[in-house]
Amino acid sequence: KSKKLIISVLLILCIITGFIPGLVWHYLSPVLTIITLLTFISFCKKKIASTDTPVNRVTEIALPRIVEKQAIGDTAQLLITSLGSAYRKQARQSNELVIDTILDNGIKLIWSKFNCHTVAFFFPTLDGGYKLRKVNSSSDYINADAIIQPGVGVLGSFLKDGMKQLNLPEITNDSSTLYYYTKDTGVRSLMASLISAGNVDRGIIVVDSTNKNNFTDEDHAFLNVLASVIGQAVFNTYLYTEHKLIHGRLAAMSSIEKEFFKNLNLESILDTMIGVIPFAIACDRITISVKNNIEENEAIIKRAYGVDSSWFINKKFSIKDKSIAGILFSKNMMLSRDFSKGHYEIRYCDDEPINEEFRSFIAVPVGVDDCKAMILIESFKQDAFSESCKELLTRLSISAGLAIEKIIVLDKARTLATRDGLTGLRNHREFQQILKDEITRSIRYNDPLALVLCDIDFFKKLNDTWGHQFGDLVLKGISSHLESCIRDSVDTAARYGGEEFALVLVKTDEKNAAETTERIRAHIAGLVFRTPSGEDIHVTMSFGIAVYRQHAKQLDELIKKADKALYRAKDNGRNRVEVF
């Protein structure tokens, strides 16, 4: 369309300047005129559509987007603080300020509409009454603590009988019988409407006057409409605040759960829990204990906060004892109650510090099928832990339990990939990787490195004589001693294959390697294994040593040299150590 417009304009310019002969122009002019008009109209329509959007269309599109943008911004700012009681208290205080604004605007509207003496709002109490919430009056004798009970007084009868509106054109009683005055102020007429929202009565608006017959039916109809509008506004304000608090809590819990699964590390999970719980739940002591993986009937307190926390850290205890922790570990159940008044209840063990000030506790197991850990929270207050606390702790423990279970599964998978199934030592593939890494480290830091290959003497004869089950018992026993005889987290013991093993001795030269290996050989030779027939026997091993750089400069070459040294030990009578 733009091209057509440009061509038409150019043609018109040509005619004007005399470039096109008159006869040609006679035939072309109607066509060019039509094309030009159509193009111009199309262009104008497009321009109007892009710039002149109706007001109602702007409202439809912009307002939801503004609200959505605000919601996203609010969510982005949600932190763990939304779990804290201080955050909830502040949110509810802010909510009350909004309610005050709504009621103040309602009062202004009523005062501008009617000639009245007092405008009062009453909100329901937990025991069924209605307490004065907001008032604006010409009188100095307002009872700020006024509560209207159903069936008591004029307004109470109005509430009891289930009326939706009340209009008293002539009042002869003392004003104090209305309960929101402390003495008679000469009130002679009154109208009241129930504030309703969601088909539930949420409060009362009362408007009175010192004049008789002050309010017409039209006035009361207006008050009913206003009561409905205020009711919806107040109710939705409360509802919005509670939804926001719940949403904030869920968002915070989601953030915590992501933190649990972020690193999949037990220490990180425990750190997160001990950081979150005291902030979210008012308490005086928290202890988190974890079941010992080695000793099944033992657990250890890994984190502590509050009173005597330093004493509890790293304290081991038996889960078979009749303590609160022991019972809960075995029962795998949540328990929340006050402590017994008659006697002190042991939390973990007999020698723990005793503090009689504690009044209540809540204990939560952490785990999926069984209790892997336990959170014990104590307070100086009775009945300190609400349903909200229990709900939060339950979700926290479930998330932490799932993360811990995943850690266990991953550890098992990692173990299966790197450890020998029978002996528990590093498998052949892992040995190759460790040796490669240690050679790289040896080159970088110019440290010595020794490789020891060893196998059990006459192992085939041992298997043939007493069976493979006894052979497996010997393999496991020797593996355990090989690992215990080297430096933990420094050196490596691996099952090389069959009855053959390998030792990687870090920062160890030929002399030290020979001394260490001889000590191991003597220790193994002194072990006693009892056969199925009850006979005690000794098992010996032969060892071959090769030192990196001294005997070989490549991984494969180092293994070959150590293997040759091992065969030399066998050829020289077994139960001995040979260096290549």
Side-chain angles (χ1 to χ4, degrees):
K1 291 178 182 178
S2 299
K3 290 179 180 178
K4 289 179 182 178
L5 181 62
I6 293 169
I7 292 170
S8 300
V9 171
L10 288 174
L11 287 171
I12 291 170
L13 288 173
C14 289
I15 292 299
I16 293 171
T17 58
F19 184 78
I20 299 177
L23 184 63
V24 177
W25 168 245
H26 177 76
Y27 292 104
L28 286 177
S29 61
V31 177
L32 292 174
T33 303
I34 292 171
I35 292 173
T36 304
L37 286 173
L38 290 175
T39 305
F40 181 73
I41 291 168
S42 175
F43 176 77
C44 291
K45 283 183 177 180
K46 186 176 180 181
K47 190 70 176 176
I48 291 170
S50 64
T51 58
D52 188 19
T53 304
V55 174
N56 63 338
R57 180 175 171 81
V58 171
T59 304
E60 278 181 12
I61 295 174
L63 188 57
R65 288 183 179 177
I66 291 169
V67 172
E68 181 184 11
K69 185 177 180 180
Q70 179 66 38
I72 291 171
D74 289 345
T75 304
Q77 294 176 11
L78 286 170
L79 302 173
I80 303 301
T81 53
S82 59
L83 291 175
S85 57
Y87 176 86
R88 295 194 295 273
K89 183 179 179 181
Q90 182 182 6
R92 291 193 172 104
Q93 287 174 344
S94 299
N95 182 81
E96 292 304 318
L97 293 176
V98 175
I99 300 298
D100 283 340
T101 302
I102 294 171
L103 298 182
D104 285 338
N105 288 332
I107 288 172
K108 288 177 183 178
L109 188 58
I110 292 171
W111 276 93
S112 67
K113 178 74 175 175
F114 308 123
N115 175 24
C116 51
H117 181 63
T118 296
V119 179
F121 287 87
F122 294 83
F123 281 6
T125 60
L126 293 176
D127 61 357
Y130 285 79
K131 189 179 188 306
L132 184 62
R133 174 66 172 79
K134 196 78 173 178
V135 65
N136 189 295
S137 178
S138 301
S139 173
D140 296 328
Y141 303 108
I142 294 293
N143 178 12
D145 298 321
I147 296 178
I148 299 172
Q149 296 292 346
V152 180
V154 176
L155 293 175
S157 299
F158 159 62
L159 293 171
K160 183 179 179 182
D161 294 338
M163 293 186 294
K164 295 297 180 183
Q165 54 187 344
L166 177 68
N167 193 351
L168 300 176
E170 294 187 14
I171 298 176
T172 57
N173 293 339
D174 190 311
S175 302
S176 61
T177 60
L178 296 173
Y179 292 105
Y180 56 91
Y181 290 112
T182 56
K183 61 183 295 186
D184 187 23
T185 59
V187 172
R188 292 297 173 260
S189 61
L190 174 149
M191 64 176 176
S193 291
L194 285 174
I195 300 172
S196 299
N199 297 321
V200 177
D201 296 337
R202 309 290 181 182
I204 319 168
I205 300 180
V206 179
V207 182
D208 65 27
S209 173
T210 54
N211 300 322
K212 293 181 181 179
N213 300 306
N214 191 64
F215 306 110
T216 65
D217 290 341
E218 289 78 10
D219 293 340
H220 208 172
F222 176 85
L223 187 66
N224 285 335
V225 173
L226 183 62
S228 176
V229 172
I230 290 176
Q232 292 293 337
V234 170
F235 178 70
N236 285 319
T237 302
Y238 278 121
L239 200 61
Y240 167 76
T241 300
E242 292 307 314
H243 283 173
K244 186 176 180 180
L245 288 172
I246 293 170
H247 173 70
R249 190 170 187 165
L250 291 174
M253 286 303 302
S254 177
S255 174
I256 293 167
E257 288 164 357
K258 287 179 182 177
E259 193 66 27
F260 285 160
F261 287 92
K262 183 178 179 180
N263 298 319
L264 282 176
N265 176 274
L266 178 60
E267 296 299 319
S268 176
I269 291 172
L270 297 176
D271 286 340
T272 301
M273 286 197 292
I274 203 66
V276 168
I277 295 172
F279 185 83
I281 299 173
C283 58
D284 297 290
R285 183 162 69 202
I286 301 171
T287 43
I288 304 177
S289 50
V290 178
K291 188 181 286 187
N292 195 327
N293 291 329
I294 301 173
E295 296 290 337
E296 291 186 358
N297 295 327
E298 184 181 79
I300 181 171
I301 302 170
K302 301 289 288 184
R303 296 291 186 276
Y305 160 89
V307 179
D308 297 321
S309 58
S310 58
W311 187 92
F312 288 92
I313 287 289
N314 295 325
K315 184 71 177 179
K316 294 180 181 179
F317 62 94
S318 172
I319 60 176
K320 292 296 183 181
D321 291 345
K322 291 183 178 180
S323 62
I324 291 176
I327 292 170
L328 292 168
F329 260 107
S330 59
K331 297 290 185 182
N332 191 25
M333 57 179 284
M334 175 190 281
L335 180 62
S336 178
R337 62 171 173 82
D338 289 340
F339 285 111
S340 300
K341 294 182 179 180
H343 66 282
Y344 177 82
E345 294 184 75
I346 297 172
R347 278 60 158 172
Y348 293 100
C349 48
D350 292 332
D351 60 340
E352 67 189 22
I354 296 175
N355 191 318
E356 299 289 352
E357 291 186 61
F358 287 108
R359 293 288 177 267
S360 60
F361 74 92
I362 181 170
V364 186
V366 178
V368 178
D369 296 324
D370 60 341
C371 185
K372 299 289 192 306
M374 189 194 70
I375 307 166
L376 178 61
I377 308 175
E378 302 172 70
S379 175
F380 290 154
K381 297 179 181 179
Q382 288 186 328
D383 300 318
F385 306 106
S386 63
E387 289 300 320
S388 177
C389 293
K390 295 174 185 177
E391 178 189 343
L392 187 147
L393 286 170
T394 298
R395 176 162 179 173
L396 190 70
S397 65
I398 290 172
S399 300
L402 288 171
I404 290 172
E405 291 289 343
K406 188 169 184 179
I407 290 171
I408 293 171
V409 170
L410 290 176
D411 284 346
K412 285 182 179 178
R414 201 175 293 116
T415 299
L416 289 173
T418 60
R419 298 276 181 173
D420 176 62
L422 176 64
T423 63
L425 297 180
R426 305 300 178 101
N427 58 26
H428 184 88
R429 183 176 62 181
E430 183 70 3
F431 156 73
Q432 291 278 351
Q433 184 61 48
I434 289 172
L435 182 58
K436 181 180 177 182
D437 293 341
E438 292 301 341
I439 286 175
T440 302
R441 194 174 288 111
S442 175
I443 295 170
R444 181 182 301 167
Y445 298 107
N446 198 29
D447 289 329
L449 175 68
L451 172 64
V452 180
L453 291 182
C454 52
D455 72 1
I456 301 171
D457 297 330
F458 304 111
F459 184 73
K460 184 178 183 302
K461 181 180 178 181
L462 183 146
N463 263 339
D464 293 342
T465 305
W466 288 288
H468 289 281
Q469 285 187 339
F470 180 70
D472 289 346
L473 181 67
V474 172
L475 285 172
K476 288 192 285 187
I478 287 179
S479 298
S480 175
H481 287 283
L482 282 175
E483 199 162 38
S484 66
C485 289
I486 59 176
R487 293 168 295 180
D488 187 29
S489 301
V490 178
D491 301 325
T492 301
R495 187 180 183 188
Y496 194 74
E499 72 275 19
E500 194 170 2
F501 300 88
L503 303 176
V504 180
L505 305 180
V506 178
K507 295 182 180 180
T508 306
D509 57 18
E510 179 183 327
K511 179 183 177 183
N512 289 323
E515 290 176 354
T516 300
T517 307
E518 177 58 32
R519 174 170 50 81
I520 294 172
R521 184 206 62 76
H523 179 78
I524 297 295
L527 296 178
V528 177
F529 294 92
R530 177 157 292 182
T531 66
S533 61
E535 181 182 353
D536 291 339
I537 66 167
H538 292 274
V539 176
T540 63
M541 294 186 72
S542 299
F543 299 81
I545 302 172
V547 179
Y548 182 69
R549 272 195 297 270
Q550 181 179 343
H551 301 130
K553 294 183 180 181
Q554 300 293 331
L555 185 147
D556 292 342
E557 185 184 5
L558 184 66
I559 293 174
K560 287 179 182 178
K561 296 292 178 67
D563 196 44
K564 286 183 178 180
L566 170 60
Y567 274 96
R568 189 189 305 144
K570 287 183 172 293
D571 291 341
N572 291 337
R574 291 183 172 84
N575 189 25
R576 59 186 293 114
V577 177
E578 290 286 349
V579 179
F580 179 79

